[in-house]
Every structure is written in structure tokens, then in C-alpha cells.
């Protein structure tokens, strides 16, 4: 009885929900916080241009499978072989997908024809609808006579969230010389959306009782976005020094990190332009900040979310106003099971904004985990900060598996002091130094919504022009040492801050009358 009710709901929705679906389609590539979040489904297709490294990349990505954030719509026809120099447009690929791929994607949703009932089985739709359900939806369904059928019906809405992602690798290269070893590749990425429009639904519904109905119906796809060499090229490189044996990975592990970087970069690009890839939920608690999302939604440490207040005008129309920004801590909920109404929560920390309260809407807003600062004081300083979670694999792959605390950054700093150099009582021409370069780790601590303190510890060395190196060596005075200090910032916008620095350099203290570093400036994060 329950199955027949659910099938009736499906057929009713297929016939009568076209207007709402078309309105939803128009919102895919715009920032629309109010658009309902439904777990998207993904099919990945790979272009094989015959390059040996390209084949290895494809094999590794197929082995890894679809990221956990998506329902798995993997198909057997996932590699398209073309000539090495062949070029095509997004439209060319769309036509190819419609002729060879889109029907296979539909078979992921309807893999079985139920001969006894004389129609396609809807068990996959039901299972995905139940898995997609949130605790709030489970609790609401308990008060309904149809209970589970309401949750299973969510799977039908999820059909409209079917995506096809195409990777095209070229200029792949293995790096191996006396200085470093690693891998490098260029990658074009194309994203397509299954067009579950009124015409498509009606065409499939007409074939719902035909065992060959999927072959008899048409399933068009829509080109959503491209990141290609003519626009934004995804360039991936990972390497390690062949001299640092204690920091070297095996070739197999290094290559696996390389492939992870491809997926991470593609995810950031695509989530920025595609509304359906942005995870959304309601703020569950505020002391500390918590939401009922986690591993099921692909939440990662330091992942950024905007927090919105929902407002209703006199006409009853809803709108959103951004009230804050927060990031995920390392306390991420393991929620990759069917919701029970009492699921775990992920904890967040606020980086900007006003007082937040339960029920506010949160929406994933990916960033590159990168920051730049310019400061002037005792020195002129240029500071680059990279999220350790996002960037460690690229620069120090052997350390990528370390569980860094949230808010941890890798920093690189260039500073040029304004004071006079004085070593062992002698004043030296400033040309002896082109400045100082430092690098190390820092960690952000946020408080009072708009303020942060960032202590840091690193290593600093003097940059010496080649013509003065012999002079400096004869002085037998260290040109490198430790640096430590703290940066303090006050937010002007969610990604722009006024910042100040106070620190000490042990190497600078040898070459100047004091090792103090201090300055004020601006910090930009994106």
C-alpha cells in the first residue's frame, strides 16, 4: 500500500510541478540563499587525450569515486577518447552528452523495471529521499499520516539536481630533476545540468510503463559553467624536494595527493558558480555555534559559511540579509546515515558579523583560504597567508595528513627594514641586504565578532645580493634565525581588516640595534 502511494505521488508530481521547477532552474547559477538545499547527484566524465600521465590521473580519480557530498551517479561510459590536439566547445560537449551519457544517468535513478507492477522501480528515489532528509524533516514527518512517504518523495525533487562534470586533462608532466619531483597538469572543467523540465518529465512519464522507456525518451542537458584555458584555467602542481628524505612521500602517495588537489580546486570553482553545490542548513545553536550538517554534506575544517536572517515584508515576500560569517571547526559531525531526528552537530566559529541566533539560515560560500597584508612601520612588510588545511598538500605534501587546528595558516613574509644596519659597532651599507624573507605557522583567534589575534612563529633569513655574499660570509655572523610575534586585526568587511603587527626577529637583532618589528596596514582575505 505504501509503495503504491509513493508511486502515485511521483507520477502526480511529474505531471503537475513544471512551473516551480522552471523557476528553480533559473536560480542554479545565481546566489539564492532561499533556494532549498537538496543533496546533488554527480556523474564524472573524463576526456582522454592519450597522454600517459592523463591516463593515470583518470584511473586514480575513478578509483576514488564520487565525493561524499554527492549522490553517486557513476556510469560505465565515463571516459571519452579524443585526439591529443582536438578542440571542442561547451556546446559540442553538450551534444555529445545528450547522445551518449544522459540516458545512462537516468538509469542511475531508475535501474530496474518492475515487471510485476509494469513500471520502473522507484526504490533508488525513495532511498535517496530518505538519506537526504534532515532531522527537522523527520520530526515534521512524524506528525503526518504519510510519514516516510513524505521523506521518500524528496528523492523526486532531487532528480532536478543531477549534474555531469567533465574533466579534460592536457599538458600533463612528471617533474623529476635534482631539485624536486612531482606532477603538473592543466585541466579544463565543464559542468552540465540534467534538464528535468516539463517536456522531459512528460516524455519520460509517457514511457514509464515501457521496459525500454529510457531508450525511447530524450534527456537534454544544460551547460552551466566552464573553466577553460580561454578563461580560468585550473593549473595543478605538486612537488617535493628530493633532498629532504624525511619529508618525502612514496610516488603512490604523492600522486594521490596530486589528484586530491585537482578535486579540491574544481570544487571551489564550481561551488562558487553553482547554487546547488552550496550546502545550506539552519543554525541549530549559538553557544557554541552549531548546525546539523557534517560528513554527509562534505563539511571540512575552516570551510566558510555566510549566515543570513530571513525577513518578511508587508506583502509576505521573504528575503535574506547577511548577518555574519563563520567557519567549521575540527568538530565535524559524522552524520552519513539516514536522519533520525536526533542527529549530531558540527561546531563553527564566527569570524565576522553581529549576534547570531538559532534558526538563521547558513549557506556555504567557498573561498581559497588565502590572505594578503601590507604593513608599514619599522619595516615595510608584505604578508601572504595560506590555510594549512587547504594548501599544505601543495607545498608540503608529507605534512598534509597532520590534523592542524582550525584557523591555522602557513605564512610567507617579506620585510624591508627602515633602520640602519649596524653589526659589531660598524655601520654597513644597506645594499648588503635586499630585505628579509620569513615563513612559518600562525593561528587566528576571533573574538567580539569583529576582532582577531594571530600569533605566529617562524624562520627568517636575510636576502643578500650575490656581489656581497663573500663579504657577509667573512663576517661570520648568522643571517637567519627565529621570528615570533602577533598580528591583531579589526574587521571593516567580512574579508577586509585593519591590521597591526608586533614581533621580534633574532636575526634582525644581530644586524640592527633592535630586533623589533612593528607596523600597521590592511589585510584582505579571499
Amino acid at each position: 500500500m505504501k509503495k503504491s502511494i509513493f508511486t502515485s505521488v511521483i507520477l502526480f508530481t511529474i505531471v503537475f510541478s513544471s512551473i516551480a521547477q522552471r523557476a528553480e532552474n533559473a536560480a542554479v547559477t545565481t546566489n539564492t540563499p532561499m533556494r532549498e538545499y537538496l543533496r546533488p547527484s554527480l556523474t564524472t566524465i573524463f576526456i582522454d587525450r592519450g597522454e600517459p600521465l592523463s591516463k593515470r590521473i583518470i584511473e586514480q580519480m575513478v578509483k576514488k569515486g564520487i565525493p561524499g557530498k554527492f549522490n553517486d551517479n557513476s556510469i560505465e561510459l565515463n571516459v571519452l577518447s579524443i585526439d591529443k590536439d582536438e578542440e571542442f566547445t561547451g556546446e559540442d560537449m553538450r551534444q555529445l552528452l545528450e547522445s551518449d551519457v544522459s540516458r545512462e544517468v537516468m538509469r542511475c535513478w531508475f535501474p530496474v523495471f518492475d515487471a510485476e507492477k509494469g513500471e520502473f522501480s522507484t526504490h533508488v528515489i525513495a532511498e535517496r529521499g530518505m538519506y537526504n532528509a534532515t532531522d527537522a524533516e523527520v520530526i515534521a514527518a512524524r506528525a503526518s499520516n504519510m510519514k516516510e512517504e513524505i521523506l521518500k518523495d524528496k528523492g523526486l525533487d532531487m532528480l532536478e539536481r543531477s549534474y555531469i562534470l567533465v574533466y579534460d586533462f592536457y599538458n600533463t608532466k612528471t617533474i623529476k630533476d635534482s631539485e624536486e619531483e612531482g606532477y603538473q597538469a592543466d585541466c579544463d572543467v565543464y559542468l552540465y545540468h540534467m534538464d528535468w523540465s516539463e517536456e522531459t518529465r512528460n516524455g519520460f512519464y509517457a514511457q514509464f510503463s515501457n521496459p525500454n522507456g529510457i531508450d525511447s525518451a530524450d534527456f537534454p542537458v544544460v551547460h552551466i559553467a566552464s573553466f577553460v584555458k580561454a578563461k580560468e584555467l585550473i593549473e595543478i602542481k605538486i612537488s617535493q624536494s628530493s633532498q629532504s628524505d624525511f619529508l618525502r612521500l612514496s610516488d603512490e602517495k604523492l600522486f594521490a595527493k596530486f589528484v586530491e588537489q585537482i578535486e579540491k580546486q574544481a570544487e571551489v570553482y564550481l561551488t562558487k558558480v553553482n547554487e546547488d553545490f552550496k550546502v545550506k542548513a539552519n543554525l541549530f545553536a549559538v553557544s557554541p555555534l552549531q548546525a546539523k550538517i557534517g560528513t554527509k554534506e562534505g563539511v571540512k575544517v575552516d570551510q566558510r559559511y555566510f549566515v543570513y536572517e530571513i525577513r518578511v515584508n508587508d506583502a509576505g515576500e521573504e528575503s535574506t540579509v547577511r548577518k555574519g560569517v563563520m567557519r567549521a571547526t575540527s568538530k565535524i559531525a559524522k552524520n552519513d546515515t539516514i536522519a533520525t531526528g536526533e542527529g549530531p552537530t558540527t561546531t563553527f566559529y564566527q569570524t565576522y558579523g553581529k549576534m547570531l541566533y538559532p534558526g538563521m539560515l547558513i549557506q556555504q560560500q567557498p573561498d581559497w583560504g588565502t590572505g594578503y597584508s601590507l604593513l608599514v612601520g619599522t619595516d615595510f612588510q608584505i604578508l601572504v597567508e595560506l590555510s594549512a588545511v587547504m594548501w599544505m598538500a601543495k607545498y608540503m605534501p608529507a605534512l598534509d595528513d597532520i590534523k592542524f587546528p582550525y584557523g591555522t595558516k602557513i605564512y610567507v613574509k617579506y620585510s624591508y627594514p627602515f633602520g640602519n644596519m649596524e653589526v659589531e659597532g660598524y655601520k654597513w651599507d644597506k645594499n648588503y641586504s635586499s630585505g628579509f624573507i620569513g615563513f612559518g605557522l600562525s593561528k587566528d583567534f576571533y573574538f567580539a565578532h569583529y576582532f582577531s589575534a594571530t600569533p605566529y612563529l617562524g624562520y627568517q633569513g636575510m636576502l643578500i645580493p650575490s656581489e656581497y655574499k663573500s663579504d657577509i660570509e667573512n663576517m661570520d655572523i648568522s643571517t637567519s634565525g627565529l621570528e615570533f610575534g602577533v598580528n591583531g586585526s579589526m574587521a571593516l568587511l567580512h574579508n577586509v581588516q585593519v591590521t597591526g603587527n608586533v614581533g621580534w626577529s633574532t636575526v634582525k637583532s644581530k644586524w640592527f640595534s633592535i630586533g623589533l618589528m612593528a607596523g600597521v596596514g590592511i589585510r584582505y582575505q579571499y
Side-chain angles (χ1 to χ4, degrees), residues 267-279:
E267 180 183 4
V268 173
Y269 273 122
L270 296 171
T271 304
K272 280 178 173 290
V273 301
N274 182 29
E275 185 69 19
D276 289 342
F277 286 5
K278 297 176 182 177
V279 175

Side-chain angles (χ1 to χ4, degrees), residues 422-440:
E422 185 173 345
V423 183
E424 297 180 347
Y426 293 94
K427 290 189 177 181
W428 299 91
D429 189 318
K430 253 196 159 171
N431 288 332
Y432 274 121
S433 173
S434 299
F436 293 79
I437 190 76
F439 61 91

Side-chain angles (χ1 to χ4, degrees), residues 179-191:
E179 297 296 327
E180 62 178 346
E181 60 180 293
Y183 299 96
Q184 184 173 336
D186 293 339
C187 177
D188 291 347
V189 175
Y190 302 84
L191 182 66

Side-chain angles (χ1 to χ4, degrees), residues 79-241:
V79 179
L80 303 176
S81 298
I82 66 174
D83 293 335
K84 181 177 180 180
D85 298 323
E86 183 176 342
E87 295 188 4
F88 53 82
T89 65
E91 178 61 20
D92 294 334
M93 179 55 62
R94 184 193 67 78
Q95 294 178 11
L96 184 61
L97 295 177
E98 286 185 356
S99 62
D100 294 334
V101 173
S102 61
R103 289 186 179 86
E104 296 304 312
V105 173
M106 286 306 298
R107 287 192 176 90
C108 295
W109 288 99
F110 300 97
V112 177
F113 186 84
D114 190 333
E116 183 177 339
K117 297 179 68 174
E119 60 187 28
F120 282 97
S121 171
T122 57
H123 73 278
V124 170
I125 288 180
E127 290 168 0
R128 291 184 176 182
M130 289 289 290
Y131 189 71
N132 174 82
T134 64
D135 277 354
E137 289 170 333
V138 170
I139 293 170
R142 287 173 182 164
S144 169
N145 292 329
M146 294 182 69
K147 296 182 180 177
E148 286 191 358
E149 279 63 36
I150 292 177
L151 303 180
K152 291 177 179 178
D153 184 43
K154 278 289 183 182
L156 183 65
D157 297 332
M158 293 162 66
L159 265 168
E160 192 262 332
R161 311 294 173 95
S162 295
Y163 289 90
I164 302 171
L165 178 59
V166 181
Y167 288 99
D168 180 11
F169 300 104
Y170 53 95
N171 296 335
T172 58
K173 182 171 68 173
T174 299
I175 305 168
K176 195 168 184 67
D177 53 40
S178 59
E179 297 296 327
E180 62 178 346
E181 60 180 293
Y183 299 96
Q184 184 173 336
D186 293 339
C187 177
D188 291 347
V189 175
Y190 302 84
L191 182 66
Y192 297 85
H193 178 233
M194 293 287 288
D195 185 14
W196 193 236
S197 62
E198 176 185 10
E199 183 179 354
T200 303
R201 290 194 300 277
N202 289 343
F204 180 56
Y205 171 62
Q207 302 290 335
F208 204 69
S209 59
N210 177 4
N212 299 314
I214 291 179
D215 291 323
S216 302
D218 293 321
F219 300 101
V221 299
V222 178
H223 178 224
I224 298 297
S226 296
F227 296 96
V228 299
K229 55 189 174 184
K231 296 167 61 179
E232 293 185 70
L233 173 68
I234 296 181
E235 299 174 298
I236 310 98
K237 179 181 179 181
I238 193 169
S239 65
Q240 58 186 357
S241 171

